[in-house]
């Protein structure tokens, strides 16, 4: 179990810790049926369903392969959000193109910025831009636990008659999350110290590296809106060659163009770098698959990274449920 997870378990957040973005909560009557909820990212939608159970119906806006940094709301999205009992988003500038719309929507509809449930002192940021936190909090189970509990509190506020049910489902989910965190710590610890370098398409794995003691290097910054300059590509090629890094990773929601440029650049310098596989960063796998859940996407990432960088992990992951071909190679 990571230190951040142990620390997070000791504290429960109130709904007010969700950045004060709730405006006039609508209490759901038991006879009115399940809460109609909208979530921006698939990760948040998945946890809403896990915690809410039959008491919620959740529409996720962003499916597999969708980049939340660049996503703009459609007319259908606007209709869904304005009719919802509650709208849930990550915040911390992840869904940058939705920020203004959601700020206006909060004047009439309960809107929850769940990433802001993570305490300020637990958020990471670029040293050059300390006021711009890394939004990828789902990459560490310890930080993600704050979000799960924030969802529990939000649902209890919207449907107080079912608060005990939400609490019980949350505790069961957190037990699975804790078990996965323990598995991750074990298999990632098997990666040799010299190989504990994670190079990806953009800087989405900072919390992951912080939790499991990996050095993380993204070609682009926190947001895929930023462009990777030639100087950045060249500097990373030098790192790959000088440190003899053997594998780097593409991401399901980001073009692999820059990653392929690193492979070609290293080859020109006489060093072979393999593509270690495709990681889930800002999006999950296909719906109705294990990798289409937060637990499954995290299991996939952990297992793939460990195996690609010289560690030991079962091909099927913690529960033997992984199905993606690159994990089993």
């Amino acid at each position: 179990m990571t230190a951040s997870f142990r620390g997070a378990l000791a504290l429960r957040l109130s709904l007010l810790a969700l950045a004060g973005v709730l405006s006039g909560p609508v209490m759901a009557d038991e006879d009115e049926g399940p809460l109609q909820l909208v979530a921006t990212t698939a990760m948040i939608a998945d946890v809403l369903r896990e915690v809410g159970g039959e008491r919620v119906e959740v529409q996720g806006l962003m499916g597999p392969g969708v980049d939340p940094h660049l996503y703009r709301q459609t007319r259908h999205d606007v209709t869904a959000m304005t009719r919802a009992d509650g709208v849930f988003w990550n915040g911390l500038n992840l869904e940058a193109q939705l920020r203004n719309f959601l700020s206006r929507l909060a004047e009439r509809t309960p809107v929850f910025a769940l990433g802001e449930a993570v305490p300020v002192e637990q958020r990471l940021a670029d040293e050059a831009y300390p006021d711009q936190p890394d939004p990828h909090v789902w990459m560490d189970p310890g930080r993600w636990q704050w979000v799960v509990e924030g969802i529990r509190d939000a649902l209890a506020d919207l449907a107080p008659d079912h608060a005990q049910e939400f609490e019980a489902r949350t505790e069961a989910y957190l037990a699975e999350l804790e078990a996965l965190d323990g598995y991750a710590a074990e298999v990632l610890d098997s990666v040799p110290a010299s190989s504990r370098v994670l190079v990806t398409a953009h800087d989405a794995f900072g919390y992951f590296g912080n939790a499991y003691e990996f050095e993380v290097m993204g070609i682009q910054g926190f947001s895929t809106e930023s462009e990777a300059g030639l100087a950045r590509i060249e500097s990373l090629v030098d790192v790959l060659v000088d440190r003899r890094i053997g594998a780097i990773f593409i991401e399901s929601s980001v073009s692999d163009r820059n990653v392929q440029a690193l492979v070609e650049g290293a080859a020109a310098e006489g060093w072979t770098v393999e593509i270690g596989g495709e990681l889930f960063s800002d999006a999950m796998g296909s719906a109705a698959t294990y990798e289409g859940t937060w637990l499954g996407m995290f299991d996939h990432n952990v297992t793939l990274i460990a195996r690609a960088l010289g560690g030991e992990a079962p091909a099927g992951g913690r529960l033997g449920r992984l199905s993606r071909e690159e994990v089993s190679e």
Side-chain angles (χ1 to χ4, degrees):
M1 186 188 307
T2 62
S4 61
F5 192 94
R6 289 194 299 269
L9 282 175
L11 185 58
R12 295 291 185 267
L13 294 178
S14 69
L15 186 60
L16 295 177
L18 299 179
V21 292
L22 177 60
S23 174
V26 178
M27 303 302 180
D29 189 291
E30 187 170 358
D31 296 332
E32 292 180 352
L35 292 166
Q36 301 299 308
L37 307 177
V38 173
T40 55
T41 69
M43 292 77 75
I44 290 173
D46 177 58
V47 178
L48 277 169
R49 296 184 183 105
E50 291 289 341
V51 174
E54 295 181 354
R55 306 301 179 185
V56 302
E57 290 185 359
V58 183
Q59 177 178 335
L61 301 185
M62 305 177 195
V66 175
D67 184 345
H69 299 283
L70 305 178
Y71 188 85
R72 294 181 181 275
Q73 70 269 19
T74 66
R75 182 177 301 179
H76 178 73
D77 295 340
V78 171
T79 299
M81 287 188 280
T82 55
R83 293 178 177 176
D85 294 315
V87 176
F88 295 74
W89 64 313
N90 188 84
L92 301 180
N93 209 40
L94 178 72
E95 310 95 324
Q97 309 303 321
L98 301 181
R99 184 175 54 220
N100 291 338
F101 172 77
L102 289 171
S103 295
R104 295 193 300 270
L105 182 65
E107 298 175 2
R108 51 170 290 181
T109 299
V111 176
F112 303 88
L114 293 166
E116 296 179 17
V118 177
V120 173
E121 65 273 14
Q122 291 290 331
R123 301 175 196 171
L124 302 179
D126 190 315
E127 292 182 1
Y129 305 98
D131 60 334
Q132 297 180 20
D134 182 347
H136 303 90
V137 294
W138 60 91
M139 288 299 187
D140 168 23
R143 272 100 168 180
W144 193 235
Q145 185 247 343
W146 298 99
V147 172
V148 175
E149 292 183 340
I151 286 173
R152 175 204 61 197
D153 293 345
L155 293 181
D157 188 84
L158 293 173
D161 289 344
H162 303 294
Q164 289 186 340
E165 180 180 346
F166 299 143
E167 173 67 27
R169 295 183 66 89
T170 296
E171 291 303 314
Y173 186 79
L174 289 178
E176 285 296 303
L177 191 153
E178 181 179 0
L180 180 57
D181 180 55
Y183 166 79
E186 178 182 358
V187 300
L188 292 170
D189 190 56
S190 71
V191 176
S194 61
S195 299
R196 299 171 74 86
V197 181
L198 184 60
V199 180
T200 59
H202 87 297
D203 199 1
F205 290 84
Y207 291 108
F208 181 95
N210 179 261
Y212 301 109
E213 299 181 349
F214 272 66
E215 185 177 358
V216 175
M217 301 179 187
I219 303 173
Q220 292 173 272
F222 292 152
S223 173
T224 54
E225 289 184 291
S226 62
E227 290 293 334
L230 181 60
R232 177 60 174 169
I233 298 290
E234 291 177 342
S235 67
L236 283 176
V237 167
D238 290 340
V239 170
L240 296 177
V241 175
D242 293 344
R243 299 178 60 175
R244 294 296 191 259
I245 297 172
I248 59 179
F249 299 86
I250 60 176
E251 301 173 32
S252 67
S253 56
V254 183
S255 169
D256 66 353
R257 181 182 66 253
N258 289 330
V259 176
Q260 295 293 347
L262 289 186
V263 172
E264 294 167 6
E269 297 293 328
W271 178 247
T272 299
V273 177
E274 303 289 343
I275 299 295
E278 183 181 75
L279 300 175
F280 296 118
S281 55
D282 293 344
M284 304 196 305
S286 299
T289 69
Y290 178 50
E291 292 85 351
T293 68
W294 180 86
L295 293 171
M297 75 169 281
F298 198 81
D299 192 353
H300 165 89
N301 285 350
V302 165
T303 302
L304 179 61
I305 290 168
R307 290 170 66 86
L309 296 180
E312 297 180 1
R318 182 176 77 92
L319 301 176
R321 296 179 61 187
L322 295 179
S323 60
R324 296 175 64 88
E325 293 181 1
E326 58 265 33
V327 171
S328 60
E329 292 295 331

